[in-house]
Structure formats: structure tokens, C-alpha cells
Amino acid sequence: MSNERYASVWDAIEDTREEAENMKLRSQLMMSLKNHIVRTGMNQAQAAWLFGVTQPRVSDLVRGKVDRFSLDMLVNMATAAGLHIELRVLDAA
């Protein structure tokens, strides 16, 4: 067993840094969308209508099925929900 330490679970399980960063962004967007659903008291059918997707897609979102969503899809859903997305790019020093 290795004693390596990672900054996030994505760094530990993904093969490349690029894949890990993509997964971090997708998981953050998914958590924000799920929190929006909870905060507003919407059910999955209402969230699906608002996000412009089907109810099974919202179910996938709520259950954390990150592999089923692209960044583009999540950005579109967040925008449809009225959420504002900001991106910060930091040097990897």
C-alpha cells in the first residue's frame, strides 16, 4: 500500500491531471445544482423542467453520477437554473 498523499480524491483515482481537473469541475457544478434543488425545495420533475433535461437526468445528478455529465451540459443546466458561474485559473506552482 502506498503512502502517497493527494490534494483530492480525483487526483488519486484519475489517470491524468487533465482528467482529475475535469472531474473536479464537474463535481463542483453537480454539487451546486443539487444544493440549488434542495435550497429551492424543487422536486426532480420541477428541476428537470427548469434545467431543460429529463427527470432521470436530474436523478443521475442528485445521485452523483458524475460520469454521465459533461462540463458543457452542467454549465447549461446551471445557467438555466439562474446560477452564475465563475472560473478561476491558478498557476500550478
Side-chain angles (χ1 to χ4, degrees):
M1 185 158 138
S2 173
N3 286 334
E4 274 186 86
R5 295 201 179 250
Y6 298 94
S8 80
V9 67
W10 299 117
D11 293 324
I13 63 174
E14 293 299 331
D15 293 331
T16 66
R17 288 184 308 181
E18 294 83 3
E19 291 171 345
E21 289 300 317
N22 189 287
M23 295 302 278
K24 288 177 198 176
L25 292 171
R26 286 195 276 168
S27 64
Q28 286 178 331
L29 281 167
M30 289 179 73
M31 287 186 289
S32 294
L33 285 163
K34 182 179 176 181
N35 289 341
H36 182 72
I37 292 168
V38 170
R39 191 173 53 253
T40 59
M42 285 186 281
N43 62 38
Q44 288 187 7
Q46 292 167 323
W49 181 85
L50 179 62
F51 299 165
V53 298
T54 63
Q55 184 276 323
R57 293 292 283 159
V58 173
S59 178
D60 288 341
L61 173 87
V62 170
R63 293 182 324 186
K65 303 288 186 177
V66 69
D67 59 312
R68 298 190 181 171
F69 294 90
S70 68
L71 276 174
D72 283 349
M73 171 62 83
L74 292 165
V75 167
N76 292 344
M77 291 169 66
T79 302
L83 301 177
H84 175 75
I85 301 167
E86 292 184 6
L87 175 68
R88 290 186 319 152
V89 179
L90 306 173
D91 287 332

